[in-house]
Amino acid sequence: MRWRRRWAALTAAVILPVAALTACSSGDSGEGPAAVRSELPAKVRDSGRLVIGTSSPFPPMEFRDGNDRLTGFDVDLLEAIAAELGVQTDFQQGPFPELLPGVVGGEYDLAVRGLFDTVARQQQVDMVTYFSAGTQWAARIGATVDPADSCGMRVGAERGTVQFTTELPAKSTACTDVGEEAIEIVGFDTIAQAVEALADQQVDAVSADSPAILYLARTSQDRVAPVGAAFDTAPYGLAVAKGSSLGPVLQQSVQRLIDDGELAQIAQKWGLEGGLITTSLINGATS
């Protein structure tokens, strides 16, 4: 917070070129906002905006409020980062499976949307970690569901997620390997659609990221509930192009927000204190 106040006072007092601002921030050992901003990719620095690919609704990370404004934990995080870097955010919607290709192709400067940092994703993009989540299941109130004993069930998941592409296929294969009935994996365009289908008895359970399950269960009017605790926990990451200078800039900014407590305040706003991390990494996943 002290660093942000110093930056606000500096910019309010005088308008200087980036090089001069960098010199004025020498009290921060070359790590102040102007120095970091100078390391942004030229496209971001020159345009003064971060083009961010996302896919809503995915509450409480990103979704539309009652006034049709994009809001959520990820939105607050990126707004805080942009304020530190002196740029504007430009959130652009896209289908979840197309977010990473959009980063690779240059359509987005970065993508955010509850993206787990995985080794497989690191083959396409660099991942800057900022939060920790896991997979969690939901079932209708009163139903008995066990994610570890789900052979023959109809389980919903959002297409393109790790639950849809990895977790549920692996569980289904484990069923058929021992002669049990496969899991029927039902894909949906959004997790909200999957939870609604669960409430309407179209599927037996839903598997998704734990923040989304907890939020949607709380707002389901007592129709669905989380099943057990989250498992396979891993960090969420901001996806940027491989080797882009944006990765280290974002990592430094996230770490500042962690260190000065602002990320904790954002997490508390959305009831996500349990997912806070202490260190932001670039490509920290080992699996």
Side-chain angles (χ1 to χ4, degrees):
M1 289 297 189
R2 293 191 300 272
W3 176 79
R4 289 170 63 81
R5 287 195 292 269
R6 289 199 300 271
W7 173 237
L10 177 63
T11 54
V14 62
I15 300 175
L16 293 173
V18 168
L21 281 173
T22 303
C24 288
S25 64
S26 58
D28 287 315
S29 303
E31 296 179 356
V36 174
R37 190 178 192 276
S38 69
E39 298 170 5
L40 286 167
K43 173 188 171 187
V44 177
R45 191 172 60 248
D46 294 345
S47 68
R49 65 182 185 131
L50 273 173
V51 180
I52 303 161
T54 191
S55 181
S56 67
F58 186 63
M61 309 309 284
E62 43 266 310
F63 63 102
R64 296 281 177 183
D65 65 14
N67 295 314
D68 200 35
R69 292 176 300 195
L70 191 66
T71 189
F73 178 93
D74 286 342
V75 177
D76 287 350
L77 168 70
L78 267 300
E79 293 290 359
I81 289 174
E84 290 185 354
L85 298 177
V87 298
Q88 300 295 315
T89 57
D90 180 3
F91 286 94
Q92 297 188 4
Q93 293 287 331
F96 180 78
E98 297 179 13
L99 293 182
L100 295 190
V103 171
V104 174
E107 181 179 355
Y108 310 126
D109 297 316
L110 67 102
V112 63
R113 203 281 198 171
L115 295 165
F116 283 114
D117 177 13
T118 66
V119 170
R121 283 177 172 157
Q122 290 171 16
Q123 305 309 306
Q124 305 178 64
V125 295
D126 287 337
M127 302 290 289
V128 180
T129 61
Y130 65 95
F131 187 75
S132 180
T135 290
Q136 191 156 20
W137 282 34
R140 286 183 295 279
I141 296 290
T144 300
V145 170
D146 181 357
D149 185 15
S150 51
C151 300
M153 293 177 56
R154 287 171 53 85
V155 183
E158 183 178 352
R159 296 182 184 92
T161 62
V162 294
Q163 292 83 18
F164 185 80
T165 63
T166 304
E167 181 226 350
L168 293 177
K171 281 185 166 69
S172 183
T173 298
C175 291
T176 57
D177 282 349
V178 296
E180 297 287 341
E181 187 178 353
I183 296 173
E184 184 178 349
I185 304 168
V186 184
F188 295 88
D189 291 335
T190 69
I191 182 58
Q193 291 176 359
V195 170
E196 187 63 30
L198 173 63
D200 291 342
Q201 303 186 38
Q202 297 175 33
V203 293
D204 302 311
V206 166
S207 181
D209 292 6
S210 52
I213 288 294
L214 294 173
Y215 181 87
L216 290 169
R218 286 199 305 269
T219 58
S220 72
Q221 299 179 335
D222 294 326
R223 295 183 296 167
V224 304
V227 173
F231 54 91
D232 293 340
T233 56
Y236 278 167
L238 307 173
V240 301
K242 292 291 293 182
S244 171
S245 63
L246 183 57
V249 170
L250 292 175
Q251 185 274 330
Q252 291 177 56
S253 187
V254 171
Q255 191 61 52
R256 292 186 206 281
L257 294 175
I258 292 171
D259 293 342
D260 72 13
E262 187 165 353
L263 191 58
Q265 293 177 10
I266 294 172
Q268 289 166 6
K269 173 182 175 180
W270 298 104
L272 298 177
E273 302 94 319
L276 288 169
I277 62 174
T278 58
T279 304
S280 174
L281 301 174
I282 299 177
N283 297 338
T286 57
S287 62

